[in-house]
Amino acid sequence: MRNFLRCAGIGLCILFGSVGYVAAQETHTVRFAPGTTSTTVSGSVDGRQTHDFIIRAQAGQVIRVNMTGSNIVYFNVLPPGSNDEAIFIGSTEGNNFAGTLSVSGAYKIRVYQMRSTARRGERGRFNLAISIDPNSSGGGSGGSGGLRGIAGMDSIRAIDEMSSRGFADVDSFSSGNTQYGIFYSLSRRMCVQLTMADGVVLDARDIKTHPKCR
């Protein structure tokens, strides 16, 4: 076995192990250097190996993750307490994640290969740029912060963003050329209606109650 040490430019160092064909799951804690809110980590994924990067954040904060490197490597974002259910799946959603967190706790950024290349034992290198928006606020059970930036957004992007913020799409209906979407978040205690027309969100508001917001 041989090990190599990767150090981010602002002082984050992570030890990765190269273990040949043996599958392994590596867990690393992401820490920001004093006075900073971003960092970059680098490494490689060998076959079925996965890397979990743990980052602690508060509800209402915005976390951003950008991946570059080999096109066989992806990342998911998992909420606190989850080991498999993700709020973002890189293999279908791309290499960039930005979302307002619905609950406080330890989030996992899981780096992996798809089964087809993992079975062949391929190696893929990656770089992750991770940041927390210093202007976002903690404490996210309710309040207009859960809807910040939604009005005026592209409709499809807004629906994805609501999901990343912890809202479930519970109902939809239309009237003429206007579409309405109902989204519910138990943790935030919010029942939200999006009003959309011509592919744009015209209005986003907490309507407090709806038969399917439960």
Side-chain angles (χ1 to χ4, degrees):
M1 183 188 298
R2 57 187 178 83
N3 294 314
F4 64 95
L5 190 66
R6 280 283 174 187
C7 296
I10 62 173
L12 177 69
C13 295
I14 297 176
L15 183 66
F16 293 93
S18 176
V19 290
Y21 64 89
V22 180
Q25 184 176 38
E26 303 282 349
T27 300
H28 322 277
T29 299
V30 176
R31 293 186 178 91
F32 301 123
T36 69
T37 57
S38 64
T39 190
T40 301
V41 295
S42 303
S44 64
V45 178
D46 295 305
R48 294 182 173 89
Q49 183 182 38
T50 62
H51 293 289
D52 279 355
F53 296 93
I54 310 300
I55 180 169
R56 294 191 173 276
Q58 300 298 310
Q61 289 187 313
V62 176
I63 185 173
R64 304 178 191 277
V65 184
N66 174 259
M67 171 178 276
T68 57
S70 172
N71 61 9
I72 65 171
V73 180
Y74 305 90
F75 76 92
N76 293 350
V77 179
L78 286 70
S82 173
N83 195 45
D84 48 29
E85 184 177 352
I87 60 175
F88 174 86
I89 301 176
S91 60
T92 58
E93 299 181 68
N95 293 327
N96 299 282
F97 169 78
T100 302
L101 305 181
S102 59
V103 297
S104 302
Y107 286 78
K108 296 177 185 175
I109 302 169
R110 176 165 294 168
V111 182
Y112 63 97
Q113 292 187 49
M114 297 296 285
R115 186 175 301 175
S116 57
T117 57
R119 278 200 302 257
R120 295 196 295 268
E122 295 189 25
R123 169 180 286 189
R125 298 194 60 78
F126 65 89
N127 299 284
L128 283 179
I130 305 168
S131 67
I132 292 180
D133 187 344
N135 297 316
S136 57
S137 59
S141 60
S144 61
L147 301 179
R148 187 178 293 113
I150 296 296
M153 191 178 289
D154 173 85
S155 298
I156 295 176
R157 180 184 169 198
I159 292 170
D160 291 340
E161 180 64 18
M162 291 295 288
S163 177
S164 75
R165 297 185 187 189
F167 288 87
D169 185 350
V170 297
D171 197 13
S172 63
F173 54 96
S174 62
S175 176
N177 294 326
T178 304
Q179 296 82 44
Y180 301 88
I182 305 299
F183 299 81
Y184 179 57
S185 170
L186 176 61
S187 64
R188 291 177 180 268
R189 296 179 176 84
M190 295 178 70
C191 183
V192 172
Q193 176 178 285
L194 301 188
T195 303
M196 299 166 282
D198 298 323
V200 176
V201 178
L202 304 178
D203 182 68
R205 66 180 62 197
D206 185 0
I207 59 174
K208 307 300 183 183
T209 184
H210 183 278
K212 295 188 179 180
C213 286
R214 58 185 179 182

